[in-house]
Amino acid sequence: MMNMNSSGSQQEVNSCPDLDTTSMVMTTTTSTNSIMTSASSSSASSPTTLSRYENQKRRDWNTFGQYLRNHRPPLSLSRCSGAHVLEFLRYLDQFGKTKVHNQLCPFFGHPNPPGPCPCPLRQAWGSLDALIGRLRAAYEENGGKPEANPFGARAVRLYLREVRDSQSKARGISYEKKKRKRPGQLQQQQGAPPALPPPS
């Protein structure tokens, strides 16, 4: 769990896995005319394993909740807005590990800088984008209304776009998503004949 206030105090949040219910097998013994219960040790319940995504989403949601509680003044989730989400994202920059060069840096736009520089470390755009996606889903899973979801606010989308563009220029890398080609376009590029229409 990361730090949530300026005094540097840390609080860990433990997550408990859900447990499966146990089942017993009832066996009828005709020779003795009695019903016996049989269960082997292998049939004991075992904790279900959450996916990596679900575990990360739970940690992110707990982290954001702690941030709201440590906010001055404290904020309730119902009063949280896109502006508070932006405040949270900027707060996370202090824990970033991605070097983002400023325009005066000789390595600005260099994807593989040959040496160190004093430019600040920031949260990478990809990390922030994935974080907002998980928090947006967690908000609605915890009873929030989609139309009131602060993680889907226009201001948050614009901020992420701005971070993407600025980091792309500063680091000399492209974040453009590759467009998926349709099967028809792929066949034409491979020289395959187009599909014939069905006979009339």
Side-chain angles (χ1 to χ4, degrees), residues 3-10 70 72:
N3 182 13
M4 287 286 99
N5 55 18
S6 58
S7 61
S9 62
Q10 294 185 347
N70 289 340
R72 294 294 176 268

PDB file of all heavy atoms in Angstrom, residues 3-10 70 72:
ATOM      1  N   ASN A   3       1.847   5.352   0.267  1.00  0.00           N
ATOM      2  CA  ASN A   3       1.566   6.432   1.201  1.00  0.00           C
ATOM      3  C   ASN A   3       0.441   7.301   0.693  1.00  0.00           C
ATOM      4  O   ASN A   3       0.367   7.615  -0.458  1.00  0.00           O
ATOM      5  CB  ASN A   3       2.839   7.256   1.381  1.00  0.00           C
ATOM      6  CG  ASN A   3       2.653   8.354   2.371  1.00  0.00           C
ATOM      7  OD1 ASN A   3       1.677   8.373   3.104  1.00  0.00           O
ATOM      8  ND2 ASN A   3       3.588   9.274   2.401  1.00  0.00           N
ATOM      9  N   MET A   4      -0.429   7.731   1.583  1.00  0.00           N
ATOM     10  CA  MET A   4      -1.584   8.498   1.173  1.00  0.00           C
ATOM     11  C   MET A   4      -1.625   9.898   1.747  1.00  0.00           C
ATOM     12  O   MET A   4      -2.568  10.616   1.545  1.00  0.00           O
ATOM     13  CB  MET A   4      -2.866   7.757   1.593  1.00  0.00           C
ATOM     14  CG  MET A   4      -3.133   6.532   0.735  1.00  0.00           C
ATOM     15  SD  MET A   4      -3.713   6.991  -0.907  1.00  0.00           S
ATOM     16  CE  MET A   4      -2.212   6.833  -1.808  1.00  0.00           C
ATOM     17  N   ASN A   5      -0.658  10.326   2.575  1.00  0.00           N
ATOM     18  CA  ASN A   5      -0.686  11.697   3.097  1.00  0.00           C
ATOM     19  C   ASN A   5       0.720  12.244   3.171  1.00  0.00           C
ATOM     20  O   ASN A   5       1.708  11.530   3.033  1.00  0.00           O
ATOM     21  CB  ASN A   5      -1.387  11.758   4.462  1.00  0.00           C
ATOM     22  CG  ASN A   5      -0.772  10.807   5.470  1.00  0.00           C
ATOM     23  OD1 ASN A   5       0.360  10.356   5.270  1.00  0.00           O
ATOM     24  ND2 ASN A   5      -1.495  10.510   6.521  1.00  0.00           N
ATOM     25  N   SER A   6       0.832  13.561   3.401  1.00  0.00           N
ATOM     26  CA  SER A   6       2.111  14.234   3.376  1.00  0.00           C
ATOM     27  C   SER A   6       2.971  13.880   4.564  1.00  0.00           C
ATOM     28  O   SER A   6       4.168  14.076   4.546  1.00  0.00           O
ATOM     29  CB  SER A   6       1.885  15.756   3.329  1.00  0.00           C
ATOM     30  OG  SER A   6       1.114  16.162   4.447  1.00  0.00           O
ATOM     31  N   SER A   7       2.406  13.336   5.658  1.00  0.00           N
ATOM     32  CA  SER A   7       3.189  13.020   6.843  1.00  0.00           C
ATOM     33  C   SER A   7       3.956  11.730   6.675  1.00  0.00           C
ATOM     34  O   SER A   7       4.786  11.383   7.491  1.00  0.00           O
ATOM     35  CB  SER A   7       2.260  12.924   8.063  1.00  0.00           C
ATOM     36  OG  SER A   7       1.321  11.901   7.860  1.00  0.00           O
ATOM     37  N   GLY A   8       3.672  10.987   5.599  1.00  0.00           N
ATOM     38  CA  GLY A   8       4.454   9.809   5.306  1.00  0.00           C
ATOM     39  C   GLY A   8       3.967   8.563   5.988  1.00  0.00           C
ATOM     40  O   GLY A   8       4.648   7.541   5.998  1.00  0.00           O
ATOM     41  N   SER A   9       2.794   8.566   6.596  1.00  0.00           N
ATOM     42  CA  SER A   9       2.292   7.375   7.259  1.00  0.00           C
ATOM     43  C   SER A   9       1.830   6.392   6.221  1.00  0.00           C
ATOM     44  O   SER A   9       1.358   6.754   5.177  1.00  0.00           O
ATOM     45  CB  SER A   9       1.126   7.727   8.189  1.00  0.00           C
ATOM     46  OG  SER A   9       0.070   8.248   7.445  1.00  0.00           O
ATOM     47  N   GLN A  10       1.970   5.067   6.491  1.00  0.00           N
ATOM     48  CA  GLN A  10       1.583   4.031   5.563  1.00  0.00           C
ATOM     49  C   GLN A  10       0.582   3.129   6.212  1.00  0.00           C
ATOM     50  O   GLN A  10       0.628   2.873   7.397  1.00  0.00           O
ATOM     51  CB  GLN A  10       2.790   3.197   5.124  1.00  0.00           C
ATOM     52  CG  GLN A  10       3.809   3.991   4.307  1.00  0.00           C
ATOM     53  CD  GLN A  10       4.914   3.094   3.808  1.00  0.00           C
ATOM     54  OE1 GLN A  10       5.039   1.973   4.248  1.00  0.00           O
ATOM     55  NE2 GLN A  10       5.694   3.606   2.899  1.00  0.00           N
ATOM     56  N   ASN A  70      -7.798  10.439   3.798  1.00  0.00           N
ATOM     57  CA  ASN A  70      -6.697  11.289   4.258  1.00  0.00           C
ATOM     58  C   ASN A  70      -6.742  12.686   3.656  1.00  0.00           C
ATOM     59  O   ASN A  70      -5.910  13.536   3.986  1.00  0.00           O
ATOM     60  CB  ASN A  70      -5.355  10.635   3.915  1.00  0.00           C
ATOM     61  CG  ASN A  70      -5.087   9.407   4.762  1.00  0.00           C
ATOM     62  OD1 ASN A  70      -5.683   9.231   5.819  1.00  0.00           O
ATOM     63  ND2 ASN A  70      -4.204   8.539   4.296  1.00  0.00           N
ATOM     64  N   ARG A  72      -7.771  16.482   3.020  1.00  0.00           N
ATOM     65  CA  ARG A  72      -8.132  17.560   3.942  1.00  0.00           C
ATOM     66  C   ARG A  72      -8.903  18.631   3.204  1.00  0.00           C
ATOM     67  O   ARG A  72      -8.353  19.305   2.339  1.00  0.00           O
ATOM     68  CB  ARG A  72      -6.867  18.150   4.601  1.00  0.00           C
ATOM     69  CG  ARG A  72      -6.161  17.171   5.519  1.00  0.00           C
ATOM     70  CD  ARG A  72      -7.034  16.842   6.729  1.00  0.00           C
ATOM     71  NE  ARG A  72      -6.418  15.832   7.597  1.00  0.00           N
ATOM     72  CZ  ARG A  72      -6.611  14.533   7.514  1.00  0.00           C
ATOM     73  NH1 ARG A  72      -7.438  14.064   6.598  1.00  0.00           N
ATOM     74  NH2 ARG A  72      -6.009  13.694   8.330  1.00  0.00           N
TER      75      ARG A  72
END
